[in-house]
Amino acid sequence: AQKVTQAQTEISVVEKEDVTLDCVYETRDTTYYLFWYKQPPSGELVFLIRRNSFDEQNEISGRYSWNFQKSTSSFNFTITASQVVDSAVYFCALSRFNKFYFGSGTKLNVKP
Amino acid sequence: DAGITQSPRHKVTETGTPVTLRCHQTENHRYMYWYRQDPGHGLRLIHYSYGVKDTDKGEVSDGYSVSRSKTEDFLLTLESATSSQTSVYFCAIGRGNTIYFGEGSWLTVV
């Protein structure tokens, strides 16, 4: 069975702080994909990143970076120098055979 | 823009009435999904489809049925709505090993 755990229900930071959102997954498969999605207060779900299980290279995109570690079954997401516009709910997900399993989400509040 | 349209976007209905939510895609993708989002539960898969007339259950399928008679349309039906089905429903399409969502349908069962 596949499972995604986001233990942080809600995080509050002050603007310009760095923040890391944790994601731990469970799967017995060796081939899978991992994802992060953002849901801003307006409600839409926005795709941020996809990694496949064979690619453990960390990725950086502007202020966003992702750390994938198979040894700990984690796929953490760091926002550097957070901004108010980063306030949203962030979901981590895992897919296998075109079925997608989501964590319960982490609500990030960035205060000015 | 993933070319997904959900209708209706907002609906209030009474307990015991049937409700159908429609998901329409413009890009001819094979995989389509229905999720519900509830506080504390994240996104949970209700049903999904991997082609016309090919559907399968997700983790929270009780009380829901789906149909896909055309590639572009995936319908979710609540046969007899209950208050526990008050939720936000998201349709999604699979494209390039990634899932993309529609804008959501807010359903309130009173």
Side-chain angles (χ1 to χ4, degrees):
Chain A
Q2 334 291 332
K3 185 179 179 181
V4 177
T5 301
Q6 296 180 255
Q8 304 154 308
T9 304
E10 187 165 354
I11 301 174
S12 292
V13 299
V14 177
E15 208 169 19
K16 298 185 182 178
E17 285 185 25
D18 299 345
V19 58
T20 295
L21 309 182
D22 297 333
C23 175
V24 174
Y25 62 92
E26 296 177 27
T27 181
R28 294 182 180 178
D29 299 316
T30 57
T31 303
Y32 51 89
Y33 291 93
L34 296 168
F35 305 81
W36 278 96
Y37 287 81
K38 175 181 180 180
Q39 186 177 42
S42 51
E44 72 272 23
L45 285 154
V46 179
F47 164 69
L48 294 178
I49 188 171
R50 180 189 76 223
R51 307 297 286 176
N52 73 55
S53 54
F54 298 106
D55 184 1
E56 285 192 77
Q57 278 193 330
N58 291 333
E59 181 153 342
I60 298 174
S61 176
R63 298 183 295 105
Y64 294 174
S65 62
W66 291 269
N67 180 256
F68 176 25
Q69 291 193 336
K70 290 179 76 171
S71 61
T72 57
S73 296
S74 65
F75 186 43
N76 296 336
F77 174 24
T78 297
I79 301 174
T80 302
S82 61
Q83 299 177 2
V84 172
V85 293
D86 296 325
S87 296
V89 179
Y90 292 87
F91 291 98
C92 181
L94 176 150
S95 78
R96 173 69 174 151
F97 292 130
N98 290 292
K99 288 185 74 172
F100 295 77
Y101 305 88
F102 286 81
S104 55
T106 297
K107 184 176 183 181
L108 175 64
N109 302 304
V110 182
K111 302 175 182 178
Chain B
D1 183 6
I4 304 169
T5 304
Q6 292 186 229
S7 59
R9 296 289 316 282
H10 296 88
K11 186 174 182 64
V12 179
T13 192
E14 293 186 348
T15 299
T17 60
V19 176
T20 295
L21 305 180
R22 179 181 183 241
C23 179
H24 178 78
Q25 60 150 325
T26 59
E27 299 180 353
N28 217 34
H29 296 290
R30 178 182 175 194
Y31 287 90
M32 297 185 75
Y33 306 83
W34 277 107
Y35 283 84
R36 62 177 289 174
Q37 182 178 11
D38 305 289
H41 293 281
L43 293 153
R44 294 181 291 176
L45 180 65
I46 305 171
H47 283 279
Y48 68 103
S49 170
Y50 43 96
V52 173
K53 298 185 180 179
D54 291 323
T55 65
D56 205 350
K57 296 179 180 179
E59 58 186 310
V60 290
S61 59
D62 287 349
Y64 301 95
S65 62
V66 289
S67 66
R68 193 168 179 200
S69 58
K70 298 184 291 183
T71 300
E72 59 266 35
D73 289 326
F74 191 33
L75 304 181
L76 176 70
T77 297
L78 291 65
E79 301 290 348
S80 178
T82 68
S83 58
S84 64
Q85 293 176 311
T86 292
S87 188
V88 183
Y89 292 85
F90 285 96
C91 175
I93 57 99
R95 182 177 71 200
N97 292 309
T98 301
I99 189 172
Y100 296 90
F101 290 90
E103 295 178 316
S105 293
W106 277 253
L107 178 67
T108 302
V109 183
V110 298

